[in-house]
Every structure is written in C-alpha cells, then in structure tokens.
C-alpha cells in the first residue's frame, strides 16, 4: 500500500507571528506532535493554519490526533473514519454522549476538509461532498436518536425501534446547498420537515405537536453550542409558508400548499431537495408527488421573470453592484460573493431557471448540482458551451474564495473584508502574491458572470424591425370609443387596411376582455410586446388576415402569461409565428387550438433531430399508460408543428421534412407499443412467448410523410404453437383469453392509443386497409397467416404496397422473420405482363372513381405522384425475382437502384425522380398553406403562392403550372411505356 505523502504546497501565512505561535503550541502538546511539527510539509501546514485562520488553529490544537492522521494517512482516511463512527453509533446512545460525538465528527471533518482544500488535494466537488456527507450522517443519527427516544418514552410506537427511521412517518428533506450536495464550509443546512399523519406510529390527538417537538429537538441537537462547539446551524424557513406553519407540517398540507399556492422560488428550492434523514422512502415518495409542481409539462419561460424579480429584491436588500474605480482592490472591498453582482447566486439562478424552463420536457436536466446542471444545459443546447465553461470556472473560483473567508473564523460570511489590510490577508490565504493580483482574477470572474447573467435575464434578443415602426408607446383609447387618429394613421402606415378594426381589437386586449389577458401581468407583457407584434403581423402579405388569426389565438387561450413570456424571452419567435399566421391558415388554426405546439420551435436543432432520445427522456416520468399517451401525443403535435414551420420557412426541404415526420412517427409508435402491451397484460394476462410488431407502409414506410399523412400500418404477432391462451399468475385477477383474441384486443388498444383525441388533437390518423383481406380481415394478423397469404393469395396491388413496407417497432426476432417473409413475397416469380396489366387496370379504376380534384391535385392527376410510384413499384415486382437487392420502401431510392442496374433508362429515371420530388414538394407546401384538400382554383392565395414558389424555385405561378404540365405529360408517357395505357382499359380489376 502506498503511504500518503502530504504535499508541501500551502498558502503563506498572512500573520507570521500567529503562525509561529501555533507551531510552538502544537509542539508542546507532546512528543508525537513535536516530531510532526519538525517535518517540512507539516510545518508549512501549521503555518498556513496559524497564519490565516484562528478557527483552524483552534481545531489543530483540539484535534492533534486528527491532524497527525491527516498528515500520515490523508484527509480521506479521517473523513471516512469519522463518518463510519457516526454510522455505527446506536440511536439509543445517551444524548450527552451522542451530542459530543456529533460535534467531534464535525471538528475532525472540518479540519480534514480544510487541509485537503489548502493543499490542493481535493477539488471543489470532493470538498462539498465531504461536507454534505457529514451533514447527512449527523442529521440521520440525530433524527434516529430523537425518534428512538420518543419511542422509549411511549410517545411514538415505531415498527422497528432498532431502525427508528424506518416507517417513522418523519421526513427530513434537505434543500439548498445540502440538497445539491454543495454544502459550504461554514454553511447552515436548509431543511423541510414533514410528517405523515397516516403512518400509524402516533395514537394520540396532538400528532402535529409531537413532530414539532421532534423538529425543535433536531434543531437543538444540531445547532446548540456547548464546550464541544456545534454541528450545523439549521434553517427551517424553506418550508411552506414558514411564518404561519409549525416547524414540522403534514405532507398532505404541504402538497395542498404547493399545488394551490406554490411560487416559483419554492419550485427552485424543491429542485434541489432530497431526503437526508428520517423515513427516506417516504421522503422520496413525497418528492415524487410534488414533481408536477416543480417540473411543468410546458416550457415555463414565465419562471425567468419570477427568478429575476427575486434577484432584484436581493440586490436591493443584500447584494449590490461592483464598485467603480481604477483600483481593483478598492472596487471589491465589502463585495458579497454570494449575493452581489457577478456572484454565486447569479450562477445558481441562471442554471436553475434554465432547468425550470426546460426540465419539464427534458428530465435529463433535473440535476440539483450547479456544475452538473451547467454541463447538461450546454450539452442539450440551452446554454452556449463557452458560457457554461465561464460560469463553471467562476463558480469554482468563487466557492473556493467563499470557503477561505469562512475558514478564518467559522463564520457564515460571503462578503469580502471591507478593510484593505484584511483583504490583503485573504489574498494571501488564496495563494496570491499580492492583493491586486487576487482582485484582478476575482474581477475577471465576476464580470463574466455579470455579463452572462445580464445577457440572459436582462437583454433578450431584439426581433427584426419593419421599415415603418410603431411608436413604443401608442394610445389606443378606451374600449367602445374610436382610437385616436394618430393611432389609426400609424396602423395604416404599417399596412393594415382595417386599422380601426385592429385598434378596437387591441383596445379589447389591453382592457383584459380575453380570458388570457385578465391578469395584470399578462397585459403588462402584451403592452411591452405590442409594437413588435403588430409590426411583424403587418409584414405579412395579408396583414389584416394575419392579425385576425392572432386575435383568434388570444381569444382561445386559457391563460396568456406563459405564451407572452415565451415571446418576451424569444423575440425572434414573433416574426416566425407572424409568418405562419400570414401564410398557413391550417397551421394558424392548429396553433389557436394548441398553443403549446410553439414549444417545438424552441427545441435545439440537435435535440430535435433525435426524436427517440427526446421522447424517451420525456416519458421517463410516465408511470401509467394514459400519462405516456398524453405526453407522446403532445410531443408529436409540437414536433409536427416544428417540422411544418421549418418547411414553410424553407429551412428544410421536402425530403428532410419527410424523414423527420417519419422518424417522429417511428419514435412514437416504438415508445408506446411495449407500454400498451404491458397495460394489456394487467387485464388479460400474458401469452407465453408471444410478441407483436408494427409495420408501416405507404409514405411512412418510405420515410416520405407529408403534412396530414395517415399512418398505413399493419400489426403482426407470433407465439409458440403450443400456447393457445394467455396465462395469469396464481392469485391474479386478470382474465384469460385465447391467443388470437388476446392479440386482436391488444391491437385495438394500440390503435386506440395512437388515434385517441386529446387536448392536442389525435396523435396520428391510422389506415389499416393494407393488411391482408383489408377491412374484412383481423386488425392483427399472425406471422403464419401473413406468410400463407403472401405466398399464394396476395393481389398484385397488395404486393405493390408491400414494396413500401418497413418495420417500426417490436422485437428484433419477429421483425427479422417478417422482413424475410416480405423479401420472399416480393421475389415471388410472376408473369411480368400480368403485373403490368393489373397495375394499369388499378390505375384506370382510380381515374374513374378518384378523379383529380382541381388543377393542383398533383397526387391523383394524370402523370402525377401516384403514377410515378406505380412505375417504381411495378418495376420492383418485375425484376425482384432476379434482383431482390433492388427493392426499397423509398420511391426515389428504388428508382435510382433500377437506373443503376440498367433496368430503367437513365432519361426516364431522371424524369421520374424530378417529377416525384416536385409532386411531393407541391403537395406538401399546399397542404401546409391551404389544408389537406387540393386547391380547386388555378389562382392561389398570395401567401400560398409565395411559399410554393420559394419551395420550387419557380419565378411565378404560370411558369410553375407550365413546368407541371410538361412533367405530367412526360410521366404519363413513361407510364404507358413501362406499365400500359390506363385510358384504354374498361371494367373492373
């Protein structure tokens, strides 16, 4: 075993005579101490303690054995030993002896932590961990002792007196720095003490008084000073409504308070809470119950204003700006490192606020520690990496300085000395050669923190401005009266033709008529946003229509603070939403019904590209199926809206949008399948060895989904031949079902989960007509039946549909078996002439029964998207028996493979690829701007025409129509050559 060697690097003594006195006094304690004092490293250590800290000097003299062990075995050995002795002490230990043991452990650990810090042996996380471990161990022992004493006196009847905390009904939650395991060197501990009146351990009437006595006893045992010192100061003021509630309150009362009256600062406090003593399992259950209060399901940008308002109050009463001047030392005299500008609290508030904003949607951000939180926020894209690095470096420096301040006299101070000579002593204690060098390093960190804090809380990004701007303050008059002429003139100058109507609507907003604007805070936010909002709406092709749609959004909102706070913190979002309101009535209608869809526009692009990981994180808290369905539905609607807006803005093309929608569908279907089956098993048992998978066809299978696309799905299951029904564990209440019926009901439950309407609308529309036997067949088909059907009975159109098949969810073994069956079905030899004839006949029937609906119906028109897809599918079926590698669910990929195999002329392939992409682009853009029904008139609304021309890179609508006609004619010609002429076919297929 390697012997510990104490490094000789220690701060120089600021008070050399005091350092010499400590060395002399320590050597006088005994021979062992005298020998230790003669060692160079120990001498440097004693000098640092004696010359910088009266408190540490006293500890060294009171704990000479501990100091010897630190020097010879290292601080870890001392801390671990002290904690082990606490954990081994019986709770029934007499109180004087137990109190002395608690205080001795505090002295030993405090000395070891100080030496580890001063010598640079430990970094900040290890320092705060050791202090937090000490606080937790002492609280745990103290609470157990008090509970056991109450049991022995007959006041409580504990279920396990040897383990008093278990089942005691007492919850000791640590908040603040102890909750985050970031305890200061001389910090108090912030506790919330709760009890469960239904725990059954108290049988009198005054249960609240009993637990309040326990609370007072805990504070006294921890915080009372005696000849041995004290353990930790205790602060109970973070409990609900501390001025009006007892020191320990029932968990039911606490839950009621948080759910009805809880404030943002209390959410921030509970963000760091964890059980540290008492019944920890009950404490964890309480935190689980209060989780919806802390972590909101929506993006909570309103929390930013709440936290910043709290910081402003702190600045007024406790904190303060950094002084001005040229002398860096003079600027910092008396500055509060915790509460002052650029201080620790600004770093903590920034991290906590971002966690509160995003943590409801991203559970991975719910880490109580400041340094871990900064790293997670940067990794998730919510904080620039450079900002996170600067804040983390500043946090470490400020906490190190704070610890040195507190080490001097064991005072809970956060302020730098207000005298130059005392400041110089701290600079020496920090290891700097001069007060000026220390001050400059500290100012660099403070200024960086101050700038980052101000950029986030005080200086949101400015939105784009219009050529004609509204004055920042504009009089809209009183409701019921005409707006002043200057106001209507300003609105008309912006471009509103119905300026009087716009002014009247704004009057209604500002007077609080819409439900969303009844709160003064909502109206205040709106008034500040109004000039930029009106200017953004006026920049749209039809300003009055865009304004009317925004008015509709406001009128349907239940509350406005959240949405308006989101706009306030993300001003660029105003222009993006104005563009949606101006160009896409269908998206505007969706936004009016579901304003939470806006959240999808704020997700960092990196996170948005991985829907599986993002959805998995959001579902981490879902404990029941209904909650998982609701969260998934909301996620899908928000992400669908994000993709639609990105497409409308031209930031992604139709191919990227198709992949994004398809990947989103795959993530949602894969996430819900096991949850639905698990829930199904609670009612009907399990089919031993049974599995189910989800297969997509059509646009979803080809990863070409467009706005409004249905999911063409097929559900396939398998189970061992010897299993005929579900099984139920002995004593279970589930109902047994035949295996086929079990899977049929499971399939219905799964489809219901996907299609159930909710507040955000249905997750997806599902079409299952492509399954074997169509609507007449079972909703779920067995693997054996699927094989039999496609081996002999499948129609040509069903085999064509199968070229688009892709597994989305389910166990890998079943997916592989189904994939092999599909390959065999596609490679089945069949007469090419028959395949072509069947396809031509089917197209002829579609032309009769589903004629194109207007000049823009590029899907069903002659030479449209359907005919391109038919060509790709037919050629795959014709050539797959010899070349199975040609097959692909994606139409573009299949055409390219046929071209590369020289089975499709290069000219035809280029034509079909160009047409297929144009048809999808036109269809997608028209669905976004006009809805799912094709435009019946040749002339498009101006906003829709602009969006369509931008997506297709055409100069005007007549040019686009000419391109479409030429392409359609060429595609029809290719269809005739490769399949046949559908116009010559009569009769049924």
């Amino acid at each position: 075993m390697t012997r510990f060697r104490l490094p000789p690097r220690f701060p120089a003594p600021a008070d050399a005579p005091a350092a010499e006195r400590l060395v002399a006094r320590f050597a006088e304690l005994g021979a062992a101490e005298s020998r230790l004092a003669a060692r160079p490293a120990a001498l440097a250590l004693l000098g640092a303690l004696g010359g910088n800290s009266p408190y540490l000097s006293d500890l060294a003299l009171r704990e000479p054995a501990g100091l010897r062990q630190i020097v010879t075995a290292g601080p870890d050995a001392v801390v671990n030993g002290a904690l082990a002795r606490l954990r081994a002490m019986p709770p029934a230990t007499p109180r004087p002896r137990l109190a002395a043991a608690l205080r001795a452990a505090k002295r030993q650990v405090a000395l070891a932590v100080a030496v580890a810090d001063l010598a640079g042996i430990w970094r900040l996380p290890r320092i705060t961990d050791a202090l937090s471990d000490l606080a937790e161990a002492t609280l745990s022992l103290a609470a157990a002792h008090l509970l056991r004493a109450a049991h022995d006196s007959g006041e409580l009847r504990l279920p396990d007196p040897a383990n008093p905390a278990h089942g005691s009904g007492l919850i000791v939650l640590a908040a603040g720095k102890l909750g985050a395991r970031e305890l200061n060197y001389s910090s108090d501990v912030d506790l919330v003490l709760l009890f469960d009146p239904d725990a059954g351990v108290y049988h009198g009437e005054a249960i609240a008084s009993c637990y309040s006595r326990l609370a007072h006893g805990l504070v006294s045992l921890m915080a009372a000073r005696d000849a041995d010192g004290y353990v930790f100061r205790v602060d109970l003021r973070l409990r609900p409504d501390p001025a009006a509630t007892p020191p320990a309150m029932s968990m039911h009362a606490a839950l009621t308070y948080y759910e009805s009256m809880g404030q943002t600062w209390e959410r921030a406090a509970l963000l760091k809470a964890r059980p540290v003593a008492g019944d920890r399992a009950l404490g964890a259950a309480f935190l689980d119950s209060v989780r919806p209060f802390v972590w909101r399901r929506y993006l909570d940008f309103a929390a930013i204003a709440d936290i910043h308002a709290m910081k402003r109050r702190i600045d007024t009463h406790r904190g303060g700006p950094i002084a001005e001047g040229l002398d860096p030392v003079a600027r910092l005299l008396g500055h509060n490192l915790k509460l002052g500008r650029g201080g620790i609290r600004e770093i903590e508030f920034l991290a906590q606020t971002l966690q509160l904003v995003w943590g409801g949607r991203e559970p991975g951000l719910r880490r109580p520690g400041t340094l871990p939180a900064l790293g997670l926020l940067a990794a998730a894209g919510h904080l620039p990496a450079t900002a996170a690095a600067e804040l983390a470096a500043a946090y470490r420096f400020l906490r190190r300085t704070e610890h040195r301040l507190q080490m001097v006299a064991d005072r809970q101070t956060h302020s730098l000395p207000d005298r130059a000579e005392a400041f110089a002593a701290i600079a020496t204690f920090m290891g700097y050669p001069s007060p000026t060098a220390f001050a400059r390093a500290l100012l660099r960190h403070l200024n960086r923190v101050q700038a980052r804090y101000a950029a986030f809380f005080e200086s949101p990004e400015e939105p784009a401005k219009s050529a004609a701007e509204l004055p920042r303050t504009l009089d809209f008059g009183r409701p019921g009266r005409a707006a002043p002429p200057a106001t209507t003139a300003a609105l008309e100058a912006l471009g509103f033709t119905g300026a009087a109507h716009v002014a009247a609507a704004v009057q209604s907003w500002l007077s609080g008529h819409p439900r969303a604007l009844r709160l003064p805070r909502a109206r205040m936010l709106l008034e500040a946003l109004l000039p930029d909002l009106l200017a953004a709406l006026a920049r749209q092709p039809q300003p009055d229509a865009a304004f009317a749609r925004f008015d509709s959004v406001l009128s349907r909102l239940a509350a406005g603070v959240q949405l308006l706070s989101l706009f306030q913190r993300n001003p660029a979002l105003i222009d993006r939403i104005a563009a949606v309101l101006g160009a896409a009535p269908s998206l505007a209608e969706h936004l009016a019904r579901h304003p939470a869809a806006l959240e999808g526009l704020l997700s960092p692009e990196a996170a948005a590209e991985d829907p599986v990981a993002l959805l998995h994180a959001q579902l981490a808290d879902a404990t029941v199926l209904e909650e998982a369905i609701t969260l998934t539905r909301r996620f899908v609607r928000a992400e669908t809206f994000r993709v639609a807006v990105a497409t409308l803005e031209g930031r992604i093309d139709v191919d990227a949008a198709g992949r994004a929608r398809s990947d989103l569908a795959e993530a949602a279907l894969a996430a819900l399948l096991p949850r639905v089956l698990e829930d199904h098993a609670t009612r009907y048992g399990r089919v031993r060895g049974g599995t189910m998978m989800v297969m997509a066809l059509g646009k979803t299978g080809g990863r070409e989904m467009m706005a409004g696309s249905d999911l063409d799905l097929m559900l396939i299951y398998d189970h061992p031949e010897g299993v005929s029904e579900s099984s139920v564990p002995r004593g279970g209440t589930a109902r047994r079902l035949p295996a086929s019926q079990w899977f049929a009901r499971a399939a219905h439950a799964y489809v219901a989960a996907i299609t159930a309407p909710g507040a955000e609308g249905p997750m997806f529309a599902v079409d299952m007509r492509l399954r074997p036997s169509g609507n007449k067949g079972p909703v779920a088909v067995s693997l054996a039946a699927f094989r039999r059907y496609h081996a002999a009975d499948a129609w040509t159109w069903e085999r064509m549909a199968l070229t688009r098949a892709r597994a989305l969810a389910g166990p890998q073994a079943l997916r592989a078996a189904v994939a092999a069956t599909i390959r065999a079905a596609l490679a089945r030899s069949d007469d090419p002439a028959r395949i072509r004839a069947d396809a031509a006949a089917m197209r002829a029937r579609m032309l009769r029964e589903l004629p194109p609906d207007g000049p823009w119906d590029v899907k069903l028109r002659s030479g449209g998207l359907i005919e391109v897809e038919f060509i790709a599918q037919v050629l795959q079926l014709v050539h797959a028996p010899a070349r199975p590698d040609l097959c692909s669910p994606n139409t573009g990929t299949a055409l390219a493979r046929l071209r590369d195999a020289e089975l499709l002329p290069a000219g035809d392939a280029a034509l079909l690829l160009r047409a297929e992409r144009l048809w999808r682009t036109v269809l997608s853009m028209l669905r976004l701007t006009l809805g799912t029904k094709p435009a019946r008139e040749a002339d498009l609304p101006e906003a829709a025409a602009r969006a369509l021309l931008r997506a297709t890179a055409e100069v005007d609508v007549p040019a686009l129509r000419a391109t479409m006609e030429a392409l359609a004619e060429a595609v029809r010609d290719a269809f005739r050559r490769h399949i046949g002429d559908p116009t010559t076919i009569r009769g049924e297929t």
Side-chain angles (χ1 to χ4, degrees), residues 757-770:
E760 296 82 14
M763 193 183 308
F764 294 105
V766 171
D767 188 344
M768 303 192 71
R769 290 175 294 178
L770 294 180

Side-chain angles (χ1 to χ4, degrees), residues 3-6 34-44 71-72:
R3 183 177 176 84
F4 174 78
R5 296 181 64 87
L6 184 71
S34 180
R35 287 193 300 271
L36 185 70
R39 295 169 60 174
L43 187 62
V71 173
T72 58

Side-chain angles (χ1 to χ4, degrees), residues 899-970:
R899 176 200 62 202
D900 295 343
E902 298 183 352
L903 298 172
L904 178 66
D908 282 357
L911 162 71
L912 295 172
L913 286 167
R914 181 188 174 202
E916 191 267 348
R917 195 172 191 280
L918 179 63
W919 297 152
R920 283 190 295 111
T921 299
V922 171
L923 187 58
S924 177
M925 198 57 64
L926 291 180
R927 284 186 179 185
L928 288 176
T929 56
L930 301 179
T932 54
K933 291 186 177 181
R936 295 189 174 184
E937 303 297 329
D939 293 331
L940 296 174
E942 182 182 357
R946 284 188 184 183
L948 186 56
L949 294 175
R950 182 174 63 246
T952 58
E954 291 284 356
V955 294
D956 55 30
V957 172
L960 174 60
R961 290 287 307 278
T963 298
M964 291 168 54
E965 292 300 324
L967 269 181
E969 186 176 343

Side-chain angles (χ1 to χ4, degrees), residues 19 155 226 234 251 317 322 334 406 418 433 441 447 459 512 587 702 722 843 862 888 900 940:
E155 192 171 13
D226 57 22
V234 176
M251 56 186 293
H317 297 290
I322 302 170
Q406 294 173 351
D418 55 8
N447 288 332
S459 306
L587 292 181
R843 180 61 181 134
S862 171
S888 171
D900 295 343
L940 296 174

